Amino acid sequence: MGPPPTNCRQSIHASLVRDKGKSVPLRRVLSVTLGQLGTFSFLQHSQRLLEEAGFRDMEELRNMAGLPAGRLICRTVTGLDSKPEGDPLIHAAILGLCNSAFYSPGRPIIWTESRLRRQVELIAVENFYED
C-alpha cells in the first residue's frame, strides 16, 4: 500500500442554508423581550411579576401556557418594541431558558440581569435533513 499521497486534497463544505434558488429551512417562531426598563433592574422586575402572579418559584413557570415546545435556535437581535406583546412573565421565563445559542424547555430557568436584558428571536430548523 505505501504512505498516503501528499498531492491529494479534500474539502468539506457545510451550510444551514440550501442551494441558490431553494428556500431556507429556518422559521422564526417568536420574538422575545422585556422591553425597555431604563435603569431599573430587570431581575427585580421579573421577581416582582413572579410574586404578583402568585408563583412560589421560577420553576412553576414551566406549567404556564405559551412556552414554546422543543429546542430552538436563539438569536440576539436589537430594536424590538419597547412594549412586548403578550405576558411579560412568559417572556422572562423564555429568556431564562435561553443560553447564548439555544432555547431549551428542559433546562433550568436561570434569571440573570444579562439574560433578562436580551432581545432574542427563537428560530425553528425545519426539514434540515430533507433533500
Side-chain angles (χ1 to χ4, degrees):
M1 289 270 250
T6 58
N7 61 351
C8 293
R9 292 185 183 203
Q10 293 180 341
S11 297
I12 299 173
H13 299 277
S15 176
L16 284 177
V17 296
R18 294 182 179 179
D19 294 332
K20 187 176 180 179
K22 293 186 178 179
S23 63
V24 177
L26 304 175
R27 176 179 55 88
R28 186 176 66 81
V29 175
L30 183 65
S31 296
V32 182
T33 181
L34 287 179
Q36 303 297 324
L37 297 180
T39 58
F40 295 109
S41 167
F42 281 69
L43 185 56
Q44 290 176 352
H45 174 71
S46 298
Q47 289 170 338
R48 186 172 51 249
L49 290 172
L50 187 72
E51 291 171 11
E52 289 173 359
F55 291 105
R56 292 176 296 189
D57 62 22
M58 294 181 295
E59 289 302 317
E60 289 185 356
L61 294 175
R62 291 181 186 282
N63 301 327
M64 288 184 72
L67 289 178
R71 193 168 180 180
L72 303 169
I73 294 173
C74 179
R75 186 186 118 192
T76 301
V77 295
T78 57
L80 294 179
D81 291 337
S82 59
K83 291 187 177 185
E85 292 181 22
D87 187 354
L89 194 53
I90 290 177
H91 285 243
I94 291 170
L95 290 169
L97 290 167
C98 290
N99 64 15
S100 60
F102 295 102
Y103 162 85
S104 180
R107 51 184 294 121
I109 298 175
I110 300 172
W111 280 350
T112 63
E113 193 67 30
S114 61
R115 279 188 183 204
L116 294 171
R117 284 188 181 275
R118 291 177 69 192
Q119 297 180 352
V120 299
E121 282 185 339
L122 299 180
I123 300 168
V125 179
E126 298 177 334
N127 301 323
F128 184 75
Y129 293 106
E130 181 181 287
D131 286 333

